[in-house]
Amino acid sequence: MMILQSFKMAWKGISGSKIRSFLTMLGIIIGVSSVIALVSVGKGTTSQITSQLEGLGTDLLTVSIMGRGNTTYLTYDEAEALTDLDGVKSVSPVISGSMTAKYGTENTDVSVEGITPAYEDIQDFHVQSGRYILDIDNGYRMKVALIGTETASDLFGTDDPLGQTILLNGSPFKVVGLLESKGTSLTSSNNDKILIPIKTAERVMQSKGVRSMTIQTESPDQVASVKSLIEATLDKKFENADNSYTVFNSQDALDTLNSTTQTLSIALGGIAGISLFVGGIGIMNIMLVSVSERTREIGIRKAIGAKKRNILLQFMIESTLLSGMGGLIGVAIGYGASALVGHYTSMDTSVSLNIVLISFGFSLFIGVVFGVIPANKAAKLRPIYALRTD
């Protein structure tokens, strides 16, 4: 009964000064809503990047050769010879560049990659119609092409591109396959590209040698050992060139991403903590003012029998209600902001229930902690002095 009465009196005190109560809660609202929105965007983006990294495959290594020297590259035969290393299942060398594709009056700038048949299985990138690049295409430097869905739409509209001839920087290529729709990778659209035989690409792009390749291991457990073998081979090949290559492992990137995400979460928690701390100070200040304004009321209550714990409970409940209501409004705004970001931007958002509970719980904790001082001050007032206050 005493607690119910304290709730009624606390609510009467809050509703009696609506604008002041709202301004008091504002710091809590901003703190809770901002941490929910920021963490949801961060978590959603991290999940998106993680899924893309995992899509690269945990048994894959990507080798990039970026030395400046004219001899800092692998020949096609040297790249294929890496399949002889222990633990290597297959190798997919790639020569890439940008070219202008033209069909009739339509033309578009497109990413072109010279590939081998191994590209299909290693990159899990197949055709939806037609055929893939064959070894014979590379052997005879055939001018055949696989075309992405977006590029096909740009050049052919709704017409079937199979069997048609397109021009790549003026060189005619026959379209022998339409690639499946793959969406977007970490760096570009997989649908806006054209694939041609690697030896043909070397000639038409005037690009000497291979500077990029993806290597598939026999199993994910062999990635580390294969990486060491590849590095030893490339060190021997480029012994006079420093920093001439990198070997990328998607698992290393995932570990780095997780570490960065944890650091970011700690930073966001710190920011939210500061905001909520400031909001708690606001609550304490307003409650102290409220105690001063209601000194006579406190004196009357104590004169008619209210005990110290009754006064203490009333003001503690009032401060907790302020922070709790601010927390609830902050949660609602945080959910709304997260939904709006996900709807109107390309970023993924994911609201974490744990973050919501922690933020709301911390807001209640702030109300209790910062309500102690004014509540204690009110409870210690002596009735005789309180009643003499105007």
Side-chain angles (χ1 to χ4, degrees):
M1 195 67 184
M2 181 183 67
I3 294 177
L4 179 61
Q5 185 64 29
S6 296
F7 262 105
K8 289 181 179 179
M9 297 190 69
W11 177 251
K12 185 177 179 181
I14 293 172
S15 59
S17 304
K18 294 182 179 64
I19 295 178
R20 187 170 72 178
S21 298
F22 175 74
L23 293 176
T24 303
M25 294 186 291
L26 197 56
I28 301 294
I29 293 172
I30 293 172
V32 172
S33 61
S34 61
V35 73
I36 291 175
L38 289 173
V39 171
S40 69
V41 171
K43 185 179 178 182
T45 304
T46 300
S47 177
Q48 185 179 17
I49 296 173
T50 299
S51 64
Q52 290 182 350
L53 286 173
E54 289 176 342
L56 295 177
T58 56
D59 60 345
L60 299 181
L61 292 168
T62 302
V63 180
S64 298
I65 301 171
M66 62 278 189
R68 296 181 180 179
N70 293 329
T71 60
T72 313
Y73 62 85
L74 293 178
T75 65
Y76 173 76
D77 292 334
E78 287 174 331
E80 287 292 324
L82 294 175
T83 55
D84 296 332
L85 297 176
D86 290 339
V88 174
K89 182 178 180 181
S90 57
V91 176
S92 172
V94 174
I95 294 176
S96 59
S98 180
M99 303 178 76
T100 299
K102 185 177 181 180
Y103 177 76
T105 59
E106 302 293 334
N107 66 83
T108 181
D109 291 332
V110 63
S111 172
V112 178
E113 295 181 1
I115 66 166
T116 66
Y119 186 96
E120 181 177 14
D121 292 327
I122 291 180
Q123 301 293 345
D124 191 27
F125 204 175
H126 312 285
V127 293
Q128 56 179 292
S129 60
R131 68 169 179 86
Y132 219 77
I133 299 295
L134 305 175
D135 286 323
I136 194 172
D137 295 325
N138 272 313
Y140 287 95
R141 292 184 170 85
M142 302 290 288
K143 290 187 176 182
V144 294
L146 308 178
I147 190 169
T149 54
E150 189 175 328
T151 304
S153 177
D154 291 339
L155 296 178
F156 299 97
T158 57
D159 295 339
D160 186 2
L162 291 182
Q164 302 298 329
T165 299
I166 61 174
L167 298 178
L168 294 179
N169 284 4
S171 297
F173 280 78
K174 183 179 180 181
V175 178
V176 297
L178 177 63
L179 294 167
E180 64 184 4
S181 181
K182 269 293 251 194
T184 302
S185 67
L186 292 173
T187 55
S188 62
S189 171
N190 283 314
N191 297 325
D192 187 17
K193 68 166 58 178
I194 292 176
L195 305 181
I196 62 177
I198 190 169
K199 288 189 175 181
T200 307
E202 191 173 14
R203 176 176 292 177
V204 297
M205 293 183 186
Q206 298 180 349
S207 177
K208 195 173 183 180
V210 175
R211 288 182 169 83
S212 177
M213 70 191 81
T214 303
I215 298 172
Q216 186 177 30
T217 62
E218 295 287 350
S219 70
D221 296 335
Q222 293 177 291
V223 167
S225 61
V226 170
K227 182 178 179 181
S228 299
L229 290 173
I230 293 171
E231 289 174 341
T233 302
L234 295 179
D235 284 340
K236 185 177 180 180
K237 168 71 176 176
F238 307 122
E239 57 184 350
N240 295 323
D242 295 331
N243 301 320
S244 55
Y245 68 89
T246 59
V247 181
F248 172 82
N249 178 4
S250 59
Q251 187 59 51
D252 292 340
L254 281 172
D255 293 340
T256 302
L257 177 65
N258 290 332
S259 176
T260 304
T261 302
Q262 290 177 359
T263 303
L264 181 62
S265 298
I266 293 172
L268 288 174
I271 294 171
I274 292 172
S275 180
L276 290 171
F277 183 78
V278 172
I281 292 175
I283 289 177
M284 183 176 66
N285 288 338
I286 294 300
M287 292 302 297
L288 286 171
V289 171
S290 180
V291 170
S292 299
E293 291 177 345
R294 294 155 66 184
T295 301
R296 189 172 182 82
E297 172 196 331
I298 295 168
I300 293 173
R301 289 193 64 200
K302 297 192 90 173
I304 60 176
K307 299 184 181 298
K308 179 180 178 180
R309 65 173 179 272
N310 301 128
I311 306 298
L312 181 67
L313 184 62
Q314 176 189 343
F315 282 89
M316 284 294 295
I317 289 175
E318 190 168 329
S319 66
T320 305
L321 273 176
L322 282 171
S323 61
M325 290 168 62
L328 287 174
I329 296 172
V331 168
I333 293 175
Y335 266 100
S338 176
L340 288 174
V341 170
H343 182 73
Y344 289 105
T345 70
S346 59
M347 292 188 293
D348 289 339
T349 58
S350 176
V351 178
S352 170
L353 181 60
N354 289 336
I355 293 297
V356 171
L357 294 176
I358 290 172
S359 299
F360 180 69
F362 193 56
S363 69
L364 288 178
F365 175 75
I366 286 289
V368 172
V369 170
F370 285 93
V372 167
I373 295 176
N376 195 49
K377 179 182 177 182
K380 286 184 176 180
L381 285 176
R382 296 179 62 185
I384 187 64
Y385 294 125
L387 289 169
R388 290 173 58 185
T389 303
D390 295 330

